[in-house]
Amino acid sequence: MSAELEVVRLDKHFAGSPTPALRDFSLHVAAGTCTAVLGPSGSGKSTLLRVIAGLEQADAGHVRIGGREMDEVDAERRGVGMVFQRSLLFPHLSVRDNVAFSDRIRGASKARARDRAEEYLGMVRLSGFGDRGVDELSGGQEQRVAIARALAAEPAVLLLDEPFSALDPALRSDMHDLLDAVRSQVAPTIVLVTHDRDEAARASDRIALIEHGVLLHESDVHDAYRRPQSLRASVLMGGRNAVRGAVRDGIHHSALGAVPVPGAADGTGVMVVRQEDVTVQGDEPRRAAGTVDSEALAFGGVVEDVRITGPRSEVQVRCGDVLLHAEDAPTRSRRIGERVSVVIPVGAVHVVAE
């Protein structure tokens, strides 16, 4: 029940809009994998899904599913299932008959369609809910039914358009676990649209970053965080540290000094490092400030700000002309004005274009 998905150089422009919704956008999703399309509101995420589903026609480019071009194929014949932020269940049908709907449309008997509906309700952990009305469900249960209904159609590609964004954090976590269970059983090809990078990292194999209709970055989850393809991609993934400078012979020169960046091309470049990879040490640092060795960099600095952000503290340290952001356990009491050492693993350093 899965197929390779390719979108090739898609362009889409809406009348009255000064900028394209999609611009030369290409993406490959391997069969049975999940790619999260992540970007701010208005970036083109939902338009991309609608073009894949056949609900919008692209101005240029192609959509291929299982190697077959879909450009002239009607939406209902593409083998695509779609789940939206709102469940859009049929209010006049029971839960069971909502899930059975696609089989009934395809000509299955009522008994057969209902039996299969029970299988998919079990898959989304709603066994015993078949006789309920839609108005008897919670928001999370509605989305489970919507996913079961989409899966019952046996789509080659399952498109999820921010389906969990209206749920509270605990329910969203439950839905991510559910998605894992569904993938282990039927391995659909999934494109998940979200504006939440934590959700993208939790639920997907790969992340595609989009802004103003343009693909900024596409990779596995690790590289999306720690090897972004541009400064803007780093920012969209929540990166806080960006040190401008220039690379010469594998060394990045900046206000922080000379930092080894093996493999980086010569020229201007921005050194980025995740704040969670930056360690703040107190009065007895393991390395002297200002040193560089094969494993780590160390810089002396002064704590400029401390903010508690849930289970972590964000510590801002002024190292000369550079302000570095680090994450620390809130149990470690850092004082504004305290002199500290900042330690960064060499492997955590990455250089991107401006």
Side-chain angles (χ1 to χ4, degrees):
M1 197 179 73
S2 62
E4 177 186 59
L5 168 68
E6 294 177 280
V7 296
V8 183
R9 307 197 68 174
L10 292 183
D11 286 334
K12 177 64 181 178
H13 192 285
F14 292 105
S17 174
T19 59
L22 295 171
R23 183 159 44 119
D24 199 28
F25 190 98
S26 297
L27 183 67
H28 173 262
V29 183
T33 67
C34 176
T35 290
V37 179
L38 176 67
S41 297
S43 59
K45 304 186 300 296
S46 294
T47 298
L48 173 66
L49 289 199
R50 292 178 65 81
V51 170
I52 293 170
L55 302 177
E56 298 281 356
Q57 185 69 39
D59 300 324
H62 306 283
V63 175
R64 299 190 186 110
I65 297 176
R68 179 189 175 198
E69 288 203 357
M70 296 286 114
D71 303 347
E72 304 301 323
V73 179
D74 293 338
E76 61 270 20
R77 298 184 181 277
R78 292 194 176 196
V80 172
M82 196 161 180
V83 178
F84 299 89
Q85 182 176 346
R86 295 178 57 213
S87 63
L88 302 179
L89 299 177
F90 302 121
H92 61 290
L93 297 179
S94 68
V95 165
R96 181 184 299 106
D97 286 338
N98 263 281
V99 179
F101 181 78
S102 60
D103 274 347
R104 293 291 286 148
I105 289 296
R106 289 183 295 190
S109 69
K110 180 179 287 189
R112 173 60 178 156
R114 285 181 166 179
D115 285 345
R116 276 176 39 83
E118 290 294 346
E119 294 176 17
Y120 284 101
L121 285 173
M123 189 180 298
V124 298
R125 304 170 185 169
L126 286 180
S127 295
F129 280 69
D131 290 328
R132 294 195 186 189
V134 171
D135 59 352
E136 299 177 80
L137 302 176
S138 68
Q141 290 166 348
E142 284 190 25
Q143 288 301 76
R144 288 173 186 256
V145 175
I147 291 172
R149 183 175 65 179
L151 291 173
E154 298 184 333
V157 175
L158 179 63
L159 306 177
L160 305 177
D161 193 359
E162 301 197 56
F164 314 135
S165 61
L167 305 180
D168 65 50
L171 278 177
R172 293 181 76 175
S173 180
D174 288 345
M175 295 302 286
H176 298 155
D177 291 343
L178 172 70
L179 200 57
D180 287 342
V182 167
R183 293 184 63 195
S184 70
Q185 294 180 66
V186 293
T189 302
I190 299 175
V191 180
L192 167 66
V193 154
T194 180
H195 61 267
D196 184 336
R197 56 182 171 266
D198 291 336
E199 177 168 87
R202 168 64 181 82
S204 68
D205 304 302
R206 301 183 70 83
I207 294 177
L209 299 176
I210 183 174
E211 189 172 50
H212 305 306
V214 176
L215 181 68
L216 299 181
H217 176 104
E218 193 278 333
S219 73
D220 61 25
V221 174
H222 176 275
D223 282 359
Y225 275 102
R226 289 182 165 78
R227 293 292 183 267
Q229 293 166 4
S230 67
L231 180 57
R232 186 58 187 157
S234 175
V235 171
L236 286 177
M237 290 305 299
R240 303 294 305 277
N241 293 310
V243 183
R244 288 167 173 81
V247 178
R248 295 190 298 275
D249 299 324
I251 303 294
H252 185 270
H253 300 270
S254 71
L256 274 182
V259 174
V261 284
D266 284 1
T268 58
V270 183
M271 186 178 76
V272 296
V273 60
R274 297 290 306 181
Q275 54 272 18
E276 55 266 31
D277 291 331
V278 179
T279 301
V280 178
Q281 297 181 358
D283 296 334
E284 297 181 1
R286 292 183 303 231
R287 293 172 176 83
T291 63
V292 177
D293 63 28
S294 61
E295 296 182 354
L297 321 169
F299 307 99
V302 177
V303 175
E304 196 164 282
D305 195 15
V306 180
R307 300 176 186 176
I308 304 296
T309 56
R312 305 292 289 172
S313 290
E314 181 186 300
V315 182
Q316 298 179 18
V317 180
R318 175 68 62 181
C319 301
D321 293 333
V322 176
L323 185 65
L324 292 177
H325 298 258
E327 286 192 357
D328 206 354
T331 52
R332 296 189 185 126
S333 179
R334 303 295 180 194
R335 304 180 309 277
I336 294 176
E338 178 185 358
R339 296 199 63 82
V340 295
S341 180
V342 173
V343 178
I344 302 172
V346 170
V349 173
H350 181 58
V351 172
V352 299
E354 180 70 44

